[in-house]
Amino acid sequence: LWCWFQNGKLTLDTQVDLSLHPEQHTIHCLIDVPRCYESGYAIVEQDPDTGIYDIAYVLDDYENERLRQILNTTWEFDATVRSGVQGFIHSVVGIPDDSTDPPSLQSYDVAQGVQEVTGYVVDLYCWDVRNGLALDTNVSLTLYPEQHTIHCMVDVPQCYESGFAVLQETSVGSGTYEIAYILDDVLNALLIAEIEAAYPDVDQRSNFQGYTWTATGVPDLAQDPPVLRSIGHSSYTGEAAIITTSTTSTPTDGTACTTNPDVVIATVNDLTLSITRDCDAETVEIQMEYANYADQWLGIVFGESMLGQALLYTTGLQGTDTLSVYPYFIDAMSGAGVNPNTDDTWTVSQQTVVGTTLQLTLSSTFAETSVPFGSASTLTISYAFGTSDTQLGYHGSSVGRVRSAFTFDFCTCSSVVTFVEGVGDYTTVTGPVVDNWCWYDNDMTAFDTKADLTVDPYNHTVHCMIDV
């Protein structure tokens, strides 16, 4: 507005008449010169009869800041380069106020009472079903939300399917946390996408704890706890095409998997493991063959240490369970840290002993186990065994624990969505959005940032997608 009102509609740098050539207004002038960006912005419109441009709407403070952020994100290189970029077309959704001269535009977001809330995020399964205890670390999230692993929140189906909430302290410095807002479906999807982008290595997510997020939305205070609804998505109505989903097996190097199901087999000392994954059926089968069986318990743990998700062939901690394979979760090197995992379901189809060889076969679905068989590219598995009994007990520091671990490399199951004519219930598909021109006509390269969208789809500006 400084160039328009204080400088006689002349650009500060190029001295061009903006009422005739607004396309010759440099990005440098708009966002690098304090008197310019501090004055605010306006959208100009051309008179079809005279060809002269005049202000259609002056933007409010919220939209001014949003425009500055878009400009800075789109042209992140230095100011000298921005001097060579001219003209910017911007789209704004707002509520016009024709009582001002020139007319002003109030941000739609502000009119809806949009708020930002920042805090630790937790999944509602751990918060509600587990009474505020993290599934993986078993810590109290009301006291230690910073000890909630990324793996628990985005890799465990019962956790990410339950949705998320943003926590804040009950009072400043209290050290006790409560739900500030529950997130709606759109914000849940955005959160998961952001976490997965920030931590792409699935196998490392257990090493990262605590995730702080700033959510922007419209509070629904009629709910208890309050719900934060995404901007412009406070309600959903209408019909959608019926969508069927098929899955294919795609390895991490981008080439096609030769077979589905894919099978991996390895032997460490006396134990041979075979893991078969069917990406289409979303199922997994594990076969164990232990060649030195002497009526003792046997267990595998999904991880390099003896902590984490486990499958144990045992009669349990008390020795009173039927001898079989059970899912457990081990979170401490003590008896109190070994507990049945009732959230996972495995079906045992073979349990035989031939001489000194124990043969076990069990299966599950991707949805029924918290081990990320559907998304992991690598799984590390440790194993241990009892010395003389099927009742669970300490395996010893050397006798019953095998220090060498299995390492299995998998293809990555990826989804292919097929649309079928018809009307029915809608489905939600979440992921980075790209425009078809950049993908098909520009060889999968972003028009503005030149990023390879097959590698870095998040490096694709909003400007490119909606202004070009």
Side-chain angles (χ1 to χ4, degrees), residues 78-240:
D78 60 63
T80 57
V81 176
R82 290 198 285 257
S83 294
V85 182
Q86 297 181 349
F88 187 76
I89 298 174
H90 183 50
S91 299
V92 181
V93 177
I95 299 174
D97 182 359
D98 295 325
S99 66
T100 61
D101 186 22
S104 59
L105 196 69
Q106 183 187 24
S107 166
Y108 175 83
D109 296 352
V110 173
Q112 293 296 306
V114 170
Q115 291 187 13
E116 282 189 348
V117 57
T118 301
Y120 288 108
V121 289
V122 298
D123 62 89
L124 296 178
Y125 176 83
C126 288
W127 187 267
D128 290 331
V129 180
R130 288 182 51 81
N131 297 317
L133 297 180
L135 176 62
D136 45 4
T137 58
N138 213 41
V139 300
S140 170
L141 296 174
T142 61
L143 299 176
Y144 307 107
E146 72 278 6
Q147 295 182 29
H148 197 185
T149 70
I150 301 301
H151 162 69
C152 179
M153 287 188 281
V154 300
D155 294 324
V156 182
Q158 57 261 44
C159 293
Y160 65 72
E161 289 174 358
S162 69
F164 297 90
V166 177
L167 302 184
Q168 290 185 333
E169 284 187 297
T170 54
S171 60
V172 177
S174 68
T176 303
Y177 292 82
E178 64 182 357
I179 289 179
Y181 290 103
I182 291 175
L183 304 181
D184 73 357
D185 290 344
V186 174
L187 291 174
N188 284 329
L190 290 173
L191 173 63
I192 292 172
E194 182 174 308
I195 293 177
E196 290 179 339
Y199 302 93
D201 190 340
V202 175
D203 297 328
Q204 293 298 316
R205 289 177 185 161
S206 294
N207 298 327
F208 296 95
Q209 296 182 348
Y211 194 80
T212 303
W213 199 50
T214 298
T216 303
V218 180
D220 182 353
L221 302 180
Q223 309 300 319
D224 186 19
V227 174
L228 195 68
R229 303 198 183 279
S230 57
I231 300 168
H233 295 278
S234 58
S235 63
Y236 293 89
T237 58
E239 298 175 328

Side-chain angles (χ1 to χ4, degrees), residues 344-419:
D344 284 19
T345 301
W346 289 84
T347 301
V348 179
S349 57
Q350 182 189 22
Q351 180 177 314
T352 58
V353 177
V354 179
T356 60
T357 299
L358 172 65
Q359 296 173 332
L360 302 171
T361 301
L362 57 155
S363 60
S364 185
T365 67
F366 293 172
E368 292 178 314
T369 174
S370 49
V371 181
F373 288 105
S375 57
S377 57
T378 301
L379 276 181
T380 300
I381 301 176
S382 306
Y383 87 92
F385 52 88
T387 55
S388 61
D389 197 346
T390 56
Q391 180 178 346
L392 279 180
Y394 181 47
H395 49 66
S397 60
S398 59
V399 177
R401 172 163 178 201
V402 178
R403 297 289 175 177
S404 301
F406 295 87
T407 299
F408 292 107
D409 293 321
F410 293 112
C411 297
T412 301
C413 295
S414 62
S415 295
V416 176
V417 179
T418 306
F419 291 87

Side-chain angles (χ1 to χ4, degrees), residues 1-6 8-9 17-20 22 25 39-47 52-60 64 97-98 100-105:
L1 295 179
W2 188 90
C3 287
W4 190 270
F5 290 115
Q6 276 72 44
K9 301 179 183 177
D17 186 342
L18 291 170
S19 67
L20 297 176
H25 199 180
S39 68
Y41 303 101
I43 305 285
V44 296
E45 194 172 56
Q46 187 179 36
D47 187 314
I52 303 297
Y53 287 86
D54 201 357
I55 289 179
Y57 292 104
V58 174
L59 303 183
D60 67 3
N64 282 328
D97 182 359
D98 295 325
T100 61
D101 186 22
S104 59
L105 196 69

